[in-house]
Amino acid sequence: MLATQTTISSSAVTLVTASDFPGLNTLGLSIARTDLEIDGLVMPHSHPRASELFFVFKGMVIAGFVDTNNKLFQAVLKPGDVFVFPRGLLHFCFNSGYEFATIFSVFNSQNPGVVGISDAMFMSDFDTINNLVRKFISDSALNDSGIRNAIFSRLNDLQS
């Protein structure tokens, strides 16, 4: 199993492909589990060979992607909600709730690949992550005072 753990973004992703689990061979599928601590973030990345079906098992998560016209599509997801990240598009997720979040993903490829941009483009510090999260959260979500206050109060608490 391939496991990637990141402490700065408070997330852990375990991806299982056909090379890790032979039972997936010839099915054209891979699976992943993502665990997000409170305020955890999976940094923007893409999968060049697969679309991703993203199922929230526990917690509340903001998930989104940027299309080829630079338009942001995002949603606040609760347990049982599903979101799809199209193949090759930059996408992310952020735990916006007050408990750990668990997400299961299915990819329509035995080898989805992953292209991460965070190490090349972003410094790993709190201010950078804070600014990134603020930019990904859409203006419409920020116009809702309940969402705005909950998100920014938790970000400010982390900084203290």
Side-chain angles (χ1 to χ4, degrees), residues 34-45:
T34 303
D35 294 296
L36 293 170
E37 294 180 21
I38 297 170
D39 297 321
L41 171 70
V42 173
M43 296 298 274
H45 64 283

Side-chain angles (χ1 to χ4, degrees), residues 13-66:
V13 178
T14 304
L15 175 65
V16 179
T17 65
S19 63
D20 304 307
F21 183 61
L24 292 173
N25 195 29
T26 73
L27 295 179
L29 299 173
S30 297
I31 54 176
R33 174 182 172 145
T34 303
D35 294 296
L36 293 170
E37 294 180 21
I38 297 170
D39 297 321
L41 171 70
V42 173
M43 296 298 274
H45 64 283
S46 66
H47 304 286
R49 294 179 292 279
S51 294
E52 178 178 351
L53 182 72
F54 186 84
F55 171 77
V56 178
F57 179 73
K58 178 182 174 189
M60 185 166 27
V61 176
I62 295 174
F65 65 89
V66 179

Side-chain angles (χ1 to χ4, degrees), residues 86-97:
R87 180 181 58 172
L89 296 184
L90 195 62
H91 59 278
F92 66 93
C93 66
F94 171 71
N95 183 349
S96 61

Side-chain angles (χ1 to χ4, degrees), residues 2 8 21 40-41 46 59 79 98 102 119 126 136 149 154:
L2 169 70
I8 190 80
F21 183 61
L41 171 70
S46 66
Y98 291 98
T102 301
D119 293 335
F126 182 81
F136 276 136
N149 293 339
R154 288 199 347 269

Side-chain angles (χ1 to χ4, degrees), residues 74 137-145 147:
Q74 69 179 15
I137 300 169
S138 72
D139 289 334
S140 61
L142 294 178
N143 287 333
D144 181 321
S145 62
I147 293 174

